[in-house]
Structure formats: structure tokens, C-alpha cells
Amino acid sequence: MSKMKFCQGNKCHTYTTKDRLKGYKGSKTYQTRRRSSFYYGGDNFCSLNCQNDWFNKYGDLAIDHFGRTTEAKHLTEENAWVKRYNYRGYDNSPDEHYFNNTITNEQRPLTEEQYRDSNYTLNIA
Ligand SMILES: [Zn+2]
């Protein structure tokens, strides 16, 4: 049984849905949603609305805290390898797996096992 936690949306309690309305007659309040897990924002928000509310209020502070990007980052040729495959099931031949360099468009063969291994890469960094 996982632990219950609250949505981190700063306005969650202001959305007037039936599931947020709690308490006894005469003292009901709309409350922040509480769940064992959430679908949004790394398991922190009950909805995209709540995630956006939080980001609109705290996003700039968070970016400044963790480091704002102030110049372009570069994906170089040595790190531009992605895994691809051609589906061949229609004529009963095996699928063709390969690396493709998204900059040079060079292709290199890959076994299906290497394709499925998320640690296997040609990228350097
Ligand atoms: Zn919420």
C-alpha cells in the first residue's frame, strides 16, 4: 500500500470539483487532492492545470535556482546516434535494427539484443 500524498498545485483547492469537496454539512471545504500517485509532473500533480499553476508561480525561481540556460547547447556528431528499426514482419524476414547518426545520416548495424539494451549506445557523453 503506497503512502498518500497531496497534489503540489498551489491552486488545486480552488478547482470546485465534487471530489475536492469534503467535510460535514455546514463545514464543507474544497480541499487539495490527495492520492497515492499522480500522473503529472513527476508524480507531484493531479492534473496538467495544477502543474501549470505551479510552474507559472514558481518556474522562474526554480530555473534560476538550478541554472538557467543562457547559451545554445550543442548535440555533436559523436553523440547524435539513435537506435532505429525497420519492421519486416509482413514478409516474415527479421526486423532490421541499426544505429542512425542524425547529423551525418551514417548507419551502423545493431543486433536486436543491443537495440533492446537501454545501456548500449555509441554516444560518448
Ligand atoms: Zn491538483
Side-chain angles (χ1 to χ4, degrees):
M1 186 86 180
S2 38
K3 205 178 156 199
M4 299 290 273
K5 57 188 178 181
F6 290 101
C7 170
Q8 295 303 301
N10 49 307
K11 293 182 182 174
C12 190
H13 64 289
T14 67
Y15 297 112
T16 56
T17 59
K18 277 184 181 171
D19 70 297
R20 288 179 173 99
L21 188 58
K22 310 242 164 148
Y24 297 105
K25 200 174 180 180
S27 63
K28 288 185 183 238
T29 58
Y30 286 104
Q31 300 180 13
T32 302
R33 275 184 174 150
R34 192 175 184 214
R35 301 271 190 280
S36 57
S37 68
F38 296 111
Y39 287 114
Y40 302 95
D43 198 20
N44 285 300
F45 300 96
C46 74
S47 68
L48 212 46
N49 265 345
C50 282
Q51 180 183 312
N52 288 340
D53 288 341
W54 188 93
F55 194 86
N56 288 339
K57 182 160 186 179
Y58 300 112
D60 265 344
L61 290 170
I63 289 170
D64 285 337
H65 178 78
F66 292 107
R68 184 171 292 273
T69 298
T70 57
E71 56 190 36
K73 295 174 181 174
H74 297 260
L75 180 69
T76 57
E77 286 182 19
E78 353 9 299
N79 291 305
W81 294 100
V82 295
K83 292 175 179 178
R84 299 264 161 82
Y85 81 97
N86 291 324
Y87 177 70
R88 293 281 182 77
Y90 52 83
D91 63 1
N92 280 334
S93 55
D95 293 343
E96 182 189 42
H97 299 81
Y98 60 97
F99 273 115
N100 181 63
N101 190 297
T102 59
I103 294 176
T104 64
N105 214 25
E106 180 187 344
Q107 295 188 2
R108 294 188 190 169
L110 189 60
T111 67
E112 185 172 349
E113 192 179 16
Q114 291 167 333
Y115 178 84
R116 294 186 191 289
D117 181 355
S118 59
N119 293 317
Y120 187 77
T121 181
L122 294 180
N123 293 324
I124 292 165

